[in-house]
Amino acid sequence: MARATSPRVPEDPAGLGRARAAGIAAPALLVVAAFLVFPALWTLYLGTTNYRLTGFAARHPRSVGLQNYTNVIQDPEFHHSLWLTFEYVIVSAVIGQAVLGFTIAWLLRDATGWFKRLIEALVLLAWILPSSVVAFLWVAMLDRDAGTLNALLRTPGTAWAIEHPMAVIIVFNIWRGTAFSMLLYSAALTGVPPSQLATARMFGANSWQQLRDVVFPHIRGHILTNLLLISLWTFNDFTPYQITAGGPNGKSEILPVYIYQTALFDGQMGLGAAISLLMLVINLVVALVYLRLLRERRQERVAA
């Protein structure tokens, strides 16, 4: 009996030819090179120089090798800023946005009518407004003398952004970024078979057991994707600068703000570039961890 062979897939199914295909892809590749590759290479170069915004080093920078990276790694301020950044990401994104976004999506999964639309609109409004507008509203709300929060809590004279800077930017990021997690989880929950939830309830499973045994296994890939995106977005978020400016005394100076202060305020562009490259490496490590977990999830589904 002749062995069946799969039809051979043509190398050029569109029939464009290599020259025309390269011509079509060239504009996109040029954009990537101009806005991603070149800035990355330029940052790598600046990180090995003593380049400054002013003075002799601005006109004639010299190479310092890995000295900038050595100085950054040994700098206690960098360690402090890195710790604040991890705290900001874990509490506001991994815990805050992910949990609150899922909670809203789960509670609204069976809701209909104006109430569901109202809640979704309020959550989305915080996400779609420009960051400068939202930051101004929060500064006004937290004002020591005429702030809305002090009026509601009857705590006149409390300077929230000065006395509790990290708590302020964490709550701000949860409030502003929850919408993305809510939308992603709402879409993911539609793929959970209602029959399995009904079967679980029939066997006496409570809400937590339904989530653990039915819902989470179905949406694990969506959870990992959401955590990857919101972690990277929060890790690189500069919006807190508009609320606390990294203060007071560096108590809310996360890495993006620390880089801004070092490179532009202090004028140490070479040192700022070195910190940026280290930040890029941390981003890559975080992304690789999540991608590995996603790959394992796909392999489990294929094996099942």
Side-chain angles (χ1 to χ4, degrees):
M1 183 176 178
R3 184 178 180 181
T5 58
S6 58
R8 184 178 180 182
V9 178
E11 296 181 359
D12 187 13
L16 295 175
R18 291 186 178 181
R20 293 179 64 185
I24 293 174
L29 294 177
L30 289 175
V31 171
V32 171
F35 293 99
L36 291 178
V37 179
F38 175 75
L41 295 176
W42 183 248
T43 301
L44 179 62
Y45 162 72
L46 286 181
T48 61
T49 68
N50 68 337
Y51 184 75
R52 298 182 64 92
L53 286 179
T54 59
F56 182 78
R59 186 174 179 84
H60 302 287
R62 61 180 179 84
S63 176
V64 295
L66 299 178
Q67 186 62 44
N68 284 331
Y69 298 97
T70 304
N71 293 341
V72 169
I73 293 174
Q74 296 176 350
D75 186 5
E77 292 187 9
F78 172 74
H79 299 160
H80 176 68
S81 180
L82 183 62
W83 170 254
L84 291 179
T85 306
F86 282 127
E87 178 185 349
Y88 180 58
V89 172
I90 293 173
V91 178
S92 71
V94 176
I95 297 177
Q97 291 182 15
V99 173
L100 182 59
F102 178 82
T103 301
I104 297 175
W106 178 254
L107 294 177
L108 294 179
R109 70 191 187 283
D110 296 325
T112 57
W114 66 268
F115 178 74
K116 180 178 182 179
R117 292 194 294 271
L118 175 63
I119 298 299
E120 290 177 341
L122 291 175
V123 176
L124 284 171
L125 187 63
W127 190 43
I128 63 178
L129 285 174
S131 60
S132 57
V133 175
V134 175
F136 175 78
L137 294 175
W138 269 69
V139 170
M141 183 183 70
L142 299 173
D143 185 71
R144 174 185 295 180
D145 300 319
T148 306
L149 185 60
N150 281 334
L152 292 174
L153 300 180
R154 297 183 180 180
T155 54
T158 302
W160 296 94
I162 296 176
E163 298 176 18
H164 311 283
M166 279 302 296
V168 165
I169 64 174
I170 285 173
V171 173
F172 167 80
N173 193 51
I174 294 173
W175 171 79
R176 185 165 186 254
T178 295
F180 177 81
S181 296
M182 180 195 71
L183 291 174
L184 191 147
Y185 288 136
S186 295
L189 289 174
T190 60
V192 179
S195 59
Q196 295 188 12
L197 288 172
T199 302
R201 287 193 294 268
M202 184 177 64
F203 280 95
N206 56 33
S207 297
W208 165 244
Q209 291 170 332
Q210 293 175 43
L211 290 173
R212 183 192 62 192
D213 300 330
V214 179
V215 176
F216 289 154
H218 277 90
I219 67 170
R220 181 182 171 188
H222 296 83
I223 294 174
L224 292 174
T225 301
N226 178 63
L227 291 177
L228 169 62
L229 294 175
I230 64 177
S231 296
L232 294 180
W233 289 340
T234 304
F235 194 86
N236 298 281
D237 187 18
F238 186 72
T239 308
Y241 180 82
Q242 298 174 309
I243 300 177
T244 64
N249 299 322
K251 291 182 179 179
S252 61
E253 194 176 56
I254 57 178
L255 274 180
V257 178
Y258 178 61
I259 293 173
Y260 178 78
Q261 299 279 20
T262 301
L264 297 181
F265 267 59
D266 298 341
Q268 303 181 70
M269 292 293 292
L271 191 61
I275 304 171
S276 298
L277 191 62
L278 291 175
M279 188 173 175
L280 175 62
V281 172
I282 296 173
N283 275 298
L284 289 176
V285 171
V286 173
L288 289 174
V289 170
Y290 279 121
L291 290 175
R292 181 178 179 83
L293 292 174
L294 281 171
R295 191 180 303 113
E296 291 177 354
R297 170 59 179 167
R298 294 193 192 99
Q299 291 174 352
E300 290 175 1
R301 294 182 64 179
V302 171

